[in-house]
Amino acid sequence: MSAAGRAAVSRGILLRLREQLEFTKKGQELLKMKRDHLASETNKLLSKLAERNELDRQLMEAYENMKAAYLNIGFSNLDSQAATVSEIEVRVRSRSIMGVIVPEVVIEKNADIGSISSPSAYKAASKLNDIMEKLIQLAEAESRLESIAYELMMTNRKVNSLERVLIPGLLELIRYVEGRLEEESLEEFFRAKCVKKIIRGAKK
Amino acid sequence: MKSPSTIYLVTRTHGMRTHLLTDDNFKAMAKSKNLSDIIDLLLRSDYATEIGKLPSEQIDSLKLEMIFLKTLVERFYNLSKNAKGKGREFLENYISRIEVENLKRILRAKHTNTEIENHKLVPLDREKTLINFPALIKAKDVEETASLLRETPYASLAQRIDDYKRLGLTIILESHLDSIYFDKVWEKVEKIENKDSIKKLVGEEIDLSNLQLILTLKMKNIASRQIEEMAVPISYRLRKTNIRRLAQGRLEDAPEALVGTPYVNTIIEILRKSDPSIELETILSKKLYHNASFALRNSSLEFGYIVAYLMMCERESRNLVTITTGLDLGVTEEILLQRLFI
């Protein structure tokens, strides 16, 4: 059953429908803007994710250094060297991008590796320390991308439903109401003509 | 003329040396595919008793490492127990490197308030040391740890606490512990009769340890004045000017700073490596164990033979740790052989 079939017909309804159409079109424009912004944000994040391969390579290099350190000083000594390293401190806060809540990770304090006395352990730790910041940024980007991609999908659906269902439906309804109103006004005109004719005939 | 006690000790050491694993043993272990192959080989060595106590399913590289360290400690103390007079005094001081290592481990943990338990230390029985390790483990911070050492040979550690607090680096305390240790050992070396061979071994160990410290600090971009302060004040073939030039110059200029010392080629070899910081410990330790191996062959009737034996015990322990750790980490035989001190 079409929307037109259920609609009551009056000038007031036509005005209201036209207002609703205008509002829907504005909403559609806004959603399109949101979609474009989210898409550009996704593109930015995708370029960041492309760094992952390089990061993987660096991580493998750091692991090789770590292996060398293990071989040089053994598990228990490396464990002891690791005890001198203060923990990295990070704060996760939320940020809104076009209404999408995404996480933002702020490194408040880097790990202090200065007290490591074994040169090979120090080398491995400094490599890992350098990568840690990039790893955190990558994790942040991946998590943002997940939220934004979901929102982008939802926005796209909304834009499509407005574009293909709601707006065409409203236009159809407006056309139907306009047609009915025109018919009614023609009927009224014809009725008035007939009444005039009858009144004139009676006078003669 | 050597004293009877020295002759007795050297003779005992000759016997004990036969228990050491050979380079061929290490090469065979490096080829092993899993820990059980290594255990099969170790069950025919001094490690058999300790390994036999562990259920086979519980054996891992960390437990084996502790067994290797425990055996090393036993070998050190067995030898010192058999010594007499000045030789005994020297050996007691020499093997106190175990307690120094444990002190370093405790200080490192206290630096970040990390919990440290007894099993993370080198296994050292209570009767073998005057240091109250259980109390140190319970200390709340580095300062309290240092204060608990006031009635021990490491009492002067408390003097370095201010520097430690200012810079926040435990390496200051570690280098000071090394200075105390080498100072004690060097003092006892001077009192030993026919000290040439032992002086060369211990002296070069001090120099190599100093080189490792200075180069590590240089790699960390520590200021030259602090490097000079942290360096072990005793040196054998390394002169004060060498240390100063090394501390003040660039890392690349280290060979020039060491001209006239026997360490120039060692430093050139380190700097030639693509990653000197990774190779530093291995190359310096190889040089040390090469000296020990030379002394074992050429000073067979000297007290130096005993020190060389102790160094070779340490080498064995480190090689075994490297092999079992490497096996755990899936390291190839080729890489393992590069890291071994053979």
Side-chain angles (χ1 to χ4, degrees), chain A residues 76 80 83 114 116-118 120, chain B residues 65 108 112 170 174 220 281 322:
Chain A
S76 68
S80 166
I116 296 177
S117 53
S118 155
S120 54
Chain B
E65 185 179 333
R108 286 178 199 141
T112 49
T170 47
E174 288 186 39
K220 290 174 156 191
E281 285 155 315
T322 303

Side-chain angles (χ1 to χ4, degrees), chain A residues 18-36 98 154-163 166-167 170:
Chain A
R18 280 185 180 149
E19 275 171 14
Q20 208 178 329
L21 178 69
E22 208 171 313
F23 179 75
T24 311
K25 279 186 174 169
K26 272 185 189 164
Q28 185 201 18
E29 280 309 306
L30 277 174
L31 284 173
K32 275 185 178 172
M33 274 166 65
K34 180 180 178 178
R35 185 182 65 182
D36 293 347
M98 294 295 285
M154 295 308 286
T155 311
N156 231 355
R157 278 188 190 171
K158 284 175 191 166
V159 170
N160 283 343
S161 84
L162 285 178
E163 210 169 73
L166 208 60
I167 293 174
L170 276 172

